[in-house]
Amino acid sequence: PAHPKTAAAAQADAALAQLPGQSPVPTAPTESTATALTDTLVAVQAAGANPAAPQSSAPTAHAAAPSAPTPASTPEADFAQANHPSIISSMRGQLLPNGGAMRIRLDPPELGALQVSVHMRDGVMTASFQTSNDQATQLLSHSLSQLKHALESQGIGVERLHVEQTAKSDTPSNADPHAGNQDGQNASPQQQEQQRRELLKRMWRKLALGDDPLDLVA
């Protein structure tokens, strides 16, 4: 006679029915067979919950390629960026197409002023730039080809651009304006009037003190 299935045996049959290519054993399993099937079911469930060899996920992002280093800014490039647009716009607005001369303040202010002279011949421009100090002369000279290219890119014909520095005065700034003019020959009318008044004061002072009038011209 067949023995009634235990609960473990019924659970084992159900597990075997879910396995591919397997079918429940037609005969009633013994207690040891049921135990082995139960262990197999537990192992199958554990393997489904915790895979022994999980697939490694593919990388979702690639490392960014290193960017090219930004070239360092140069004083000539900074000068061109700060001054070339204003120089070009001023020349177009005031000196073209007939030529002429004008004065432009450079940036930064310590570079001084820039005197621009433009001569036109057959629609082609020749420009001369006069700077007021060494630094402005060097910066403009080194960026002159860039300025010429910028002018030509706006349809302005350029024959030649020239930079020169304004000659410094040989007269000291703190020199006495009256020096060398005491004889009155090269003095201005204002200086002559001032000298005359000083001479009259000396005369009255001499007379008041009773000095010899002959000493007034000494």
Side-chain angles (χ1 to χ4, degrees), residues 23-158:
S23 60
V25 180
T27 58
T30 61
E31 189 68 25
S32 60
T33 303
T35 302
L37 291 174
T38 302
D39 294 340
T40 301
L41 177 63
V42 173
V44 170
Q45 292 177 348
N50 300 307
Q55 296 181 353
S56 59
S57 58
T60 57
H62 298 284
S67 58
T70 303
S73 178
T74 62
E76 291 78 10
D78 294 339
F79 173 85
Q81 183 177 2
N83 294 282
H84 283 190
S86 61
I87 293 174
I88 295 173
S89 61
S90 299
M91 293 174 65
R92 288 177 61 93
Q94 301 184 36
L95 304 182
L96 298 178
N98 300 321
M102 63 177 297
R103 194 176 182 87
I104 302 174
R105 176 65 62 180
L106 295 175
D107 185 30
E110 54 265 24
L111 294 177
L114 179 68
Q115 184 74 20
V116 183
S117 300
V118 172
H119 300 278
M120 302 296 298
R121 181 177 180 180
D122 298 332
V124 181
M125 177 183 69
T126 298
S128 174
F129 302 95
Q130 285 190 345
T131 56
S132 56
N133 57 63
D134 296 336
Q135 184 180 9
T137 303
Q138 180 180 3
L139 291 173
L140 181 57
S141 299
H142 289 176
S143 62
L144 204 60
S145 59
Q146 184 177 351
L147 178 60
K148 182 176 184 292
H149 177 73
L151 289 167
E152 291 175 339
S153 66
Q154 298 191 16
I156 303 174
V158 180

Side-chain angles (χ1 to χ4, degrees), residues 152-177:
E152 291 175 339
S153 66
Q154 298 191 16
I156 303 174
V158 180
E159 180 179 353
R160 187 172 66 93
L161 300 179
H162 175 65
V163 179
E164 61 182 1
Q165 185 172 338
T166 304
K168 297 180 181 179
S169 175
D170 296 332
T171 303
S173 59
N174 58 350
D176 185 4

